[in-house]
Amino acid sequence: MDNTNTRSTLLSPVTIHQWQLRNRIVMAPLTRGFADDREGTVTDEMVAYYEQRARDGVGLIITEGINPNLAGKGTYGIPGLYTDEQTTSWKRVTDAVHRHGGTIIAQLWHVGRLSHSDLIGTTPVAPSSLAAEGRVHKLHKPYQVPQAMSAQDIADTIQHFQTAARNAVLAGFDGIELHAAHGYLIDQFINEKTNHRTDEYGGDTAGRLRFLRDIIVAVKKEIPVDRISVRFSEKKDDDASYAWVDKAGMIDAYLNLFRETGITILHPSTDQYTKAWEEEQSFHERIRSQWDGIIIGVGDLDVQTAEHAIGKGSIDLAAFGRPFIANRDLVQRLHAGQQLIEYDANAHLPVLV
């Protein structure tokens, strides 16, 4: 494959509905933990961090996970979009990104049972009273047995997502992403191992997907559906051995839900983009075989793999995570054909630059 052509594919502008993107490069959602821990507001260094990536020329920025309520907080320093102060603080980020011609969407993230009373002041909530294995991120305490959500809790949480979407619009975001992946709250409803409910939000696959469906329906009241991305995954952050029993059936169920609710932008998540998922196909290729909407590719992508995937139409946009932590000028380096700085957790994670 001619390298020049493929690289121009990754770096060429693209229109996704209302978004005029400068290229097909996405800054993946990256939990950094630099928000004001008490208030959940954005700090000066966060504004500078996002502004730098926009100045560099990235096509689309997906923010770090943002909590729709306090119960959604999974570790220290996570920002929110449920108070006026938080909403106002995010306006500084979106203004900075737009000043440099960038596009930015807010990822709404509720961790459910993967929280702790030390962080949120109350017992974590989940579809069922089943504790996760492992320890809370940065707090290093074992996960607690969560409180099974009542019908009212579910209704309230759906409303919190809707309010967060409204606040995202007020804060100037160009769209939102619903984090329905990796074993967090929405995914806890979808997963048969973590959802033992017998009401309308449990039971069969359709029942377990109802929480996600209701959230999509709610947030669509605040923001056009063509500006909503949904992140979903088979993999769970707290259960490395988990796999869908019926892979084809789950993909069908998700895609049918997205079609019925009008979702057109998907962010399927996997650790390794190139890894064979079912027979010869990767996770993203399997979804592409049944989906002609927008697909954001992610999973330890390198530039060559991303160019190839975009070139053959498997994905429309390519999301990079760690390379963006290590390279604030990632896009410029790609334009210039320069070597990227290798990501080093010890060097790069403690600082926000």
Side-chain angles (χ1 to χ4, degrees):
M1 209 176 217
D2 179 49
N3 197 40
T4 325
N5 288 344
T6 50
R7 199 171 74 192
S8 69
T9 309
L10 183 62
L11 292 172
S12 57
V14 60
T15 299
I16 308 277
H17 308 316
Q18 304 300 310
W19 304 335
Q20 310 280 327
L21 306 184
R22 295 174 287 190
N23 49 59
R24 295 174 184 261
I25 298 169
V26 177
M27 178 174 165
L30 298 161
T31 302
R32 300 302 307 273
F34 282 85
D36 181 294
D37 187 61
R38 187 177 172 83
E39 302 298 332
T41 48
V42 169
T43 56
D44 290 346
E45 57 188 339
M46 287 170 67
V47 177
Y49 167 80
Y50 284 110
E51 181 171 13
Q52 177 57 46
R53 272 75 183 165
R55 184 187 292 123
D56 175 52
V58 64
L60 175 67
I61 295 172
I62 306 175
T63 67
E64 62 205 281
I66 305 174
N67 298 148
N69 57 21
L70 180 57
K73 181 178 177 179
T75 189
Y76 301 112
I78 305 299
L81 259 176
Y82 54 91
T83 70
D84 291 345
E85 292 75 20
Q86 292 164 353
T87 305
T88 303
S89 72
W90 275 113
K91 185 87 174 78
R92 296 170 58 212
V93 172
T94 62
D95 283 349
V97 169
H98 293 149
R99 202 159 50 237
H100 297 286
T103 302
I104 183 168
I105 67 175
Q107 190 195 68
L108 303 182
W109 177 45
H110 191 309
V111 304
R113 70 180 191 162
L114 301 185
S115 184
H116 195 278
S117 55
D118 285 7
L119 294 166
I120 60 177
T122 54
T123 305
V125 297
S128 302
S129 291
L130 301 163
E133 287 186 27
R135 291 175 180 270
V136 183
H137 185 54
K138 290 186 185 173
L139 187 65
H140 306 303
K141 290 188 178 181
Y143 289 115
Q144 297 166 312
V145 177
Q147 176 76 38
M149 293 169 76
S150 66
Q152 188 61 54
D153 293 333
I154 290 173
D156 290 346
T157 303
I158 292 165
Q159 181 59 56
H160 293 151
F161 271 94
Q162 183 176 340
T163 302
R166 183 184 312 149
N167 287 340
V169 174
L170 290 171
F173 282 104
D174 300 295
I176 64 164
E177 175 164 285
L178 294 173
H179 196 338
H182 302 168
Y184 298 117
L185 182 67
I186 297 174
D187 204 12
Q188 287 160 28
F189 272 88
I190 299 168
N191 181 350
E192 73 286 351
K193 285 175 72 172
T194 50
N195 181 348
H196 291 181
R197 301 180 73 92
T198 55
D199 64 1
E200 61 184 339
Y201 289 98
D204 62 7
T205 307
R208 298 196 314 274
L209 280 166
R210 190 181 306 275
F211 185 59
L212 172 57
R213 175 190 294 273
D214 287 357
I215 289 172
I216 293 170
V217 169
V219 299
K220 280 195 323 188
K221 295 172 183 169
E222 307 298 336
I223 194 164
V225 71
D226 64 2
R227 296 178 182 225
I228 302 170
S229 163
V230 180
R231 187 169 224 206
F232 66 105
S233 67
E234 178 183 44
K235 80 182 193 85
K236 315 299 175 213
D237 284 359
D238 61 315
D239 184 357
S241 66
Y242 181 83
W244 289 328
V245 177
D246 176 8
K247 289 181 185 294
M250 284 305 291
I251 293 290
D252 284 344
Y254 275 105
L255 298 186
N256 287 338
L257 168 59
F258 298 143
R259 291 185 192 104
E260 287 164 20
T261 52
I263 294 293
T264 56
I265 305 169
L266 305 186
H267 189 181
S269 180
T270 182
D271 282 332
Q272 280 292 335
Y273 177 84
T274 52
K275 191 176 171 188
W277 183 68
E278 194 182 26
E279 295 171 359
E280 300 295 302
Q281 289 182 311
S282 71
F283 189 51
H284 292 78
E285 287 168 345
R286 178 69 170 78
I287 292 162
R288 171 55 82 208
S289 69
Q290 294 175 248
W291 179 261
D292 51 16
I294 303 301
I295 296 178
I296 302 172
V298 74
D300 204 20
L301 277 172
D302 59 42
V303 173
Q304 213 166 3
T305 306
E307 286 166 353
H308 181 67
I310 287 170
K312 68 177 194 174
S314 302
I315 59 175
D316 300 279
L317 305 172
F320 298 90
R322 291 169 177 174
F324 263 115
I325 297 177
N327 299 268
R328 56 195 291 183
D329 56 350
L330 176 76
V331 178
Q332 293 311 314
R333 284 175 180 267
L334 295 185
H335 272 293
Q338 287 179 316
Q339 191 77 27
L340 296 184
I341 296 168
E342 188 111 3
Y343 170 78
D344 173 352
N346 293 330
H348 295 126
L349 280 188
V351 289
L352 200 66
V353 293

